[in-house]
Amino acid sequence: MLKKRRKERLIWLDIMITLLTLELMSYFYYGVRSVVLAGVCVVTAVIAELISLRLMKRSFTADDLTCTSDALIIALMFPAVMDYKAAAIVTVFAVVVAKNIFGGRLNMIFSPAAAAYIFALTSWGRQLLQYTEPHIKTGVFEHPTGLVNSASHIFNMTGSVEHTDFELLLGNFSGPTGAVSILLLIVAAFVLIFRRSISAGAFIGTVFGTSFFAVVTPMVTSRAASLKYSLIMNMVLFSAIYIVSDVRIAPKRNYYAFFYGLFIGVISYVLVLTEAKENAIVIVSVLFTPIALGFKNLEKKIENAYSEHLSETVSEPDGSLITGKAGDEHE
């Protein structure tokens, strides 16, 4: 148990380091407003976690600080100028409703950040999908002006992207503060997979599913451009790392996790292609919760069957193995 807790804390630390790196890039593009927004989400998450656990007569431990990573993910899916009150309400929803009511930290069935994003989309949809241009910095309490649609929205509606590959790689285009830094996201994916802090199977499955359909049924004339933009736009890469590949949610075995990610990648691409649904992958990741649960139940059945098989096996002094039934007959 102690070893498992230590591993969970290391995973949380790895996730936090990569998220803070994305937040630093967000500060570079959007100024202190994005940092304050992240702070509001993190502080609100800790307070909500503490109060909700007390109401459920549970003690608050260091392990419950994992709520801060969910809060940072939420902040990085927001525009830098998201209303603080709305951000706080959404974060409370993530901690209290999406996580603790549905079983808490040890029994999560879907990503709290993804569920919270859907809640924000239904309640503050217009504000959630309006962004400032990079390098236009809004004051901490200043009312935002000159808001624009995201590059993902323009791509979904017109099939065109008015940015160079270099700008796209560095995140110099409008969109959620943490989902546009493509170069950092690629580095984060490699680091987290190497550290086994995210599900490699789920990540590869999501990328493969999106890429395959982007080539087979391209959104633009060029298949190469369709592949590139389908991974960069609509928070696909960000969600593949921090939502779909969350080890708390994804199946443990990479084989099952691959198909879990594959289904999410394919369906979200189809929604973007047919409905021009912006950031569809976040919605699909929550809708596909039953599939993740199904794979996990299958994994448990396999593990139980294997354990029963081992328990029925008896080792003879000479090293030969016989089943429990054979052993009874021998006696």
Side-chain angles (χ1 to χ4, degrees):
M1 178 64 76
L2 182 60
K3 185 177 180 181
K4 184 178 179 181
R5 284 187 177 181
R6 188 176 300 163
K7 183 179 179 181
E8 289 178 354
R9 292 172 184 176
L10 289 175
I11 290 174
W12 170 76
L13 183 61
D14 289 341
I15 296 292
M16 284 297 290
I17 290 173
T18 59
L19 290 173
L20 288 172
T21 303
L22 291 171
E23 185 59 45
L24 182 63
M25 183 59 73
S26 173
Y27 168 73
F28 172 76
Y29 278 121
Y30 303 103
V32 71
R33 174 79 177 240
S34 65
V35 178
V36 174
L37 177 65
V40 169
C41 291
V42 169
V43 171
T44 302
V46 173
I47 295 173
E49 186 77 50
L50 179 61
I51 294 175
S52 60
L53 288 177
R54 286 289 179 86
L55 291 176
M56 292 187 292
K57 296 181 179 180
R58 299 178 187 175
S59 58
F60 183 91
T61 66
D63 294 324
D64 292 308
L65 286 174
T66 53
C67 66
T68 56
S69 62
D70 293 317
L72 261 183
I73 293 172
I74 293 171
L76 290 169
M77 290 194 292
F78 284 161
V81 292
M82 187 71 178
D83 180 73
Y84 298 132
K85 181 180 178 180
I89 294 173
V90 170
T91 305
V92 170
F93 177 88
V95 173
V96 177
V97 179
K99 187 173 73 171
N100 287 333
I101 288 181
F102 282 93
R105 178 176 58 84
L106 299 177
N107 298 287
M108 293 172 58
I109 61 174
F110 44 67
S111 167
Y117 184 85
I118 296 174
F119 172 67
L121 193 62
T122 58
S123 303
W124 296 277
R126 182 174 178 80
Q127 182 181 163
L128 185 66
L129 300 176
Q130 292 289 303
Y131 307 90
T132 54
E133 292 280 7
H135 301 294
I136 296 180
K137 301 176 181 180
T138 308
V140 175
F141 299 106
E142 184 181 348
H143 182 74
T145 58
L147 300 180
V148 298
N149 291 321
S150 69
S152 297
H153 174 80
I154 297 172
F155 173 70
N156 294 348
M157 300 302 295
T158 66
S160 63
V161 176
E162 299 177 353
H163 298 278
T164 65
D165 289 347
F166 185 71
E167 288 177 323
L168 293 174
L169 197 62
L170 293 184
N172 192 19
F173 61 98
S174 59
T177 57
V180 295
S181 300
I182 304 303
L183 180 59
L184 284 180
L185 288 172
I186 293 172
V187 173
F190 277 106
V191 170
L192 293 175
I193 289 174
F194 177 77
R195 297 274 298 171
R196 297 184 180 180
S197 296
I198 61 174
S199 170
F203 176 80
I204 294 171
T206 305
V207 172
F208 179 81
T210 305
S211 302
F212 179 77
F213 266 70
V215 172
V216 174
T217 56
M219 294 183 66
V220 293
T221 305
S222 170
R223 296 180 187 275
S226 177
L227 171 61
K228 176 175 62 179
Y229 297 140
S230 295
L231 292 175
I232 291 175
M233 301 298 170
N234 293 297
M235 286 206 298
V236 170
L237 195 55
F238 181 88
S239 299
I241 298 170
Y242 296 108
I243 294 178
V244 182
S245 301
D246 189 334
V247 293
R248 302 171 299 177
I249 313 299
K252 293 181 181 178
R253 297 171 183 261
N254 280 326
Y255 175 80
Y256 298 119
F258 173 83
F259 285 101
Y260 166 68
L262 180 71
F263 295 149
I264 292 176
V266 169
I267 299 302
S268 60
Y269 179 82
V270 171
L271 281 178
V272 173
L273 179 66
T274 58
E275 303 293 331
K277 190 67 177 178
E278 189 173 350
N279 306 327
I281 189 171
V282 182
I283 301 171
V284 175
S285 69
V286 175
L287 295 179
F288 269 56
T289 295
I291 290 182
L293 294 176
F295 279 135
K296 285 186 175 181
N297 289 333
L298 180 60
E299 287 175 335
K300 287 182 179 179
K301 290 180 180 179
I302 293 174
E303 290 174 358
N304 291 336
Y306 182 69
S307 298
E308 290 176 4
H309 173 72
L310 290 179
S311 64
E312 291 174 356
T313 303
V314 179
S315 178
E316 286 290 332
D318 61 359
S320 61
L321 295 176
I322 59 175
T323 63
K325 182 178 180 181
D328 293 339
E329 291 176 352
H330 180 70
E331 291 178 355

